[in-house]
Amino acid sequence: NLSFNTLHSLSWKTFQHLPLQQLILVGNPFNCSCSLRWLQLWQNGSRVEMGNQSLGCWDGSGQVPLSTQILHACDPPAVRIEPPEVVLRQGDSVNLTCHIAAEPSATAEWVVPEVGPEVISLSDREILLEISNVSSNLNHKDLTCRAENAVGSVEDSVMLNVTFPPVILLLHEAIPQHFWCIPFSVDGNPVPSIRWLFNGTKLDEGPYIHTRIVEYEHNSTILHGCLQLNRPTHVNNGNYTLLVRNPLGWSARSVQGRFMDNPFSFSPEEPIPGRRQAGGLPRGTRNSSLEGPVETTDEHTFGVSVAVALAVFACLSLSVMLILLNKCGRRSKFGINRSAVLAQEDDLAMSLHFMNLGSSPLSSAESKLEGLKSNFIENPQYFCNACVHHVQRRDIVLKWELGEGAFGKVFLAECYNLLPEQEKMLVAVK
């Protein structure tokens, strides 16, 4: 709010970097000049909310509305860069010309990265930018020509497309993350292809070993990624070589990967004695631990002999045990002491005792247990002075499962007619 501040002029640069939402300028005696042209444009545009302010300016004869005042030869500048598109190789040179059209006159400049280009001012309407020995650092970078005058500022940009051979910026040793990762960063234009060698031979990628691009840099061709290995073992220990290639060249770099020690007595990098290829030559030209150890003929014969001997010994031992058991069984066939065990009637009587719990008089079978009752300890949690209830299935309403064990599931349930004083109650049902 700059109202009633006796302002005769006001520059657009005052608000150049301010995120304005509303601008109030009523009550200022502005002089009609080209320096207020920006304010006319803002009133007619959507740069900032001006509302229905009645702004005016003095032209010598009196105050006139600013919106109707005609300001001659008073417009913002216009700029144009030639050529508008630039494609060149690393090491080339390029000349860019910025053409400026402005009334009133404008000042112009090139805004470029810090790469040491040479700027030559040809005239007030042309500025030449010369860049020698273009570096890959300028790839996908904007070169901007900016011009400004009393009315406002304007700019134009061109992006350089610099082609260059691929280069490996980073290749690190494997680091354990959720998966093992060999991180790398590469750059190149056109975008290079990426492949890997393992111990000098092509690495076939799949679901367990593959290349993953993690991040793309904005306005850049740099790729950040990693060779991802899922649960590698000692078989995956070795030399990993990263190869990047595009039509302009290639680059390679190697790193050692070690994920775990060899759990076997032989080295996975050496052939196993006794293993031969189909042609009869020793298989020492590849990682033999990928296929596992192979027995020799002598080892196989010895193993079979040991197995047969153990089987014969087991059969003889079993036969001797059966003979001894048979002889011992005949001698003690009628020597069972009935006083040491319960008869069938006693078992039944004991079961009825626990189920009856005093609800009926003792039978003859149960009377036999009177002398044995002192030998048993009843669990009060199961044997109490209450009759066993037979609950109807229709009186149980299952709610939800409480748990599960080796003997079944347990549910929370509502049981009706269980106690006379309650219509229903919560119970656990197995």
Side-chain angles (χ1 to χ4, degrees):
N1 186 354
L2 298 177
S3 59
F4 302 100
N5 270 281
T6 318
L7 297 175
H8 296 282
S9 64
L10 189 62
S11 173
W12 59 269
K13 295 182 180 181
T14 306
F15 315 102
Q16 182 177 6
H17 302 295
L18 297 181
L20 291 179
Q21 294 182 349
Q22 187 177 13
L23 181 60
I24 303 175
L25 295 172
V26 295
N28 290 294
F30 291 115
N31 293 326
C32 297
S33 65
C34 192
S35 61
L36 291 181
R37 174 61 176 157
W38 67 272
L39 192 53
Q40 279 186 331
L41 298 176
W42 282 26
Q43 272 190 305
N44 300 328
S46 58
R47 169 66 172 82
V48 68
E49 176 63 37
M50 302 290 293
N52 296 322
Q53 301 180 60
S54 178
L55 300 179
C57 65
W58 295 84
D59 63 350
S61 60
Q63 189 176 28
V64 296
L66 180 62
S67 58
T68 60
Q69 178 69 19
I70 300 177
L71 301 174
H72 298 283
C74 196
D75 289 302
V79 296
R80 176 175 52 88
I81 297 177
E82 287 186 353
E85 295 182 359
V86 180
V87 180
L88 66 164
R89 295 188 60 171
Q90 182 179 13
D92 292 347
S93 300
V94 62
N95 295 335
L96 300 174
T97 304
C98 178
H99 301 275
I100 304 106
E103 188 67 35
S105 60
T107 59
E109 63 176 348
W110 278 99
V111 181
V112 296
E114 297 180 1
V115 293
E118 184 177 358
V119 179
I120 301 175
S121 178
L122 302 179
S123 66
D124 292 340
R125 298 183 179 274
E126 287 186 353
I127 302 179
L128 179 65
L129 176 65
E130 291 184 352
I131 305 177
S132 302
N133 192 18
V134 174
S135 170
S136 60
N137 296 329
L138 280 177
N139 184 41
H140 285 195
K141 295 297 188 297
D142 288 327
L143 307 180
T144 303
C145 179
R146 179 181 298 156
E148 62 180 45
N149 61 7
V151 182
S153 66
V154 68
E155 63 183 29
D156 188 20
S157 298
V158 61
M159 178 181 290
L160 294 183
N161 187 2
V162 183
T163 60
F164 57 96
V167 58
I168 299 175
L169 305 177
L170 169 71
L171 182 62
H172 198 274
E173 294 181 354
I175 55 177
Q177 298 175 346
H178 184 65
F179 300 99
W180 280 86
C181 171
I182 300 179
F184 66 87
S185 297
V186 299
D187 193 9
N189 189 23
V191 178
S193 62
I194 299 174
R195 67 188 187 97
W196 295 84
L197 300 181
F198 176 60
N199 291 334
T201 60
K202 180 182 177 182
L203 177 64
D204 294 326
E205 300 188 20
Y208 293 98
I209 302 179
H210 60 274
T211 302
R212 183 168 66 95
I213 302 300
V214 179
E215 181 183 359
Y216 296 88
E217 285 194 7
H218 179 66
N219 281 349
S220 175
T221 54
I222 298 178
L223 303 178
H224 302 281
C226 72
L227 179 65
Q228 186 170 286
L229 298 96
N230 185 8
R231 299 178 182 177
T233 65
H234 67 285
V235 176
N236 303 107
N237 295 342
N239 185 68
Y240 289 84
T241 302
L242 173 62
L243 291 176
V244 290
R245 184 186 301 272
N246 70 5
L248 300 180
W250 63 277
S251 181
R253 188 183 295 184
S254 299
V255 66
Q256 285 291 327
R258 186 170 185 82
F259 307 98
M260 66 176 292
D261 294 332
N262 182 12
F264 305 106
S265 59
F266 58 89
S267 172
E269 303 300 331
E270 298 177 357
I272 301 176
R275 166 172 283 187
R276 296 183 176 274
Q277 297 180 351
L281 296 177
R283 301 186 66 166
T285 58
R286 57 178 298 183
N287 191 340
S288 56
S289 65
L290 293 173
E291 301 179 5
V294 175
E295 295 179 327
T296 62
T297 304
D298 296 338
E299 291 174 345
H300 180 72
T301 304
F302 177 75
V304 172
S305 302
V306 172
V308 172
L310 291 176
V312 171
F313 177 77
C315 291
L316 292 176
S317 300
L318 183 60
S319 301
V320 172
M321 290 176 63
L322 289 176
I323 294 173
L324 293 176
L325 289 175
N326 188 29
K327 291 183 177 181
C328 294
R330 289 180 180 179
R331 184 169 55 250
S332 60
K333 180 176 182 181
F334 301 101
I336 298 177
N337 187 4
R338 292 181 56 86
S339 62
V341 297
L342 291 176
Q344 182 177 1
E345 300 90 335
D346 298 337
D347 293 339
L348 178 60
M350 183 171 61
S351 301
L352 291 175
H353 167 71
F354 292 135
M355 295 298 293
N356 191 23
L357 299 173
S359 61
S360 62
L362 295 175
S363 63
S364 60
E366 293 171 346
S367 61
K368 297 179 181 180
L369 284 172
E370 290 300 323
L372 297 175
K373 288 181 64 177
S374 60
N375 295 331
F376 297 96
I377 300 176
E378 296 180 352
N379 188 340
Q381 195 171 2
Y382 291 99
F383 308 108
C384 58
N385 295 325
C387 298
V388 176
H389 291 276
H390 295 278
V391 182
Q392 299 294 330
R393 178 62 182 87
R394 63 175 178 268
D395 293 337
I396 298 176
V397 179
L398 297 179
K399 292 296 184 180
W400 56 77
E401 183 180 338
L402 295 176
E404 182 178 359
F407 296 98
K409 295 183 179 181
V410 178
F411 289 83
L412 177 68
E414 288 180 344
C415 185
Y416 293 83
N417 305 322
L418 186 61
L419 296 177
E421 61 271 13
Q422 294 186 17
E423 178 186 2
K424 64 179 180 179
M425 64 183 300
L426 292 176
V427 297
V429 177
K430 179 180 286 188

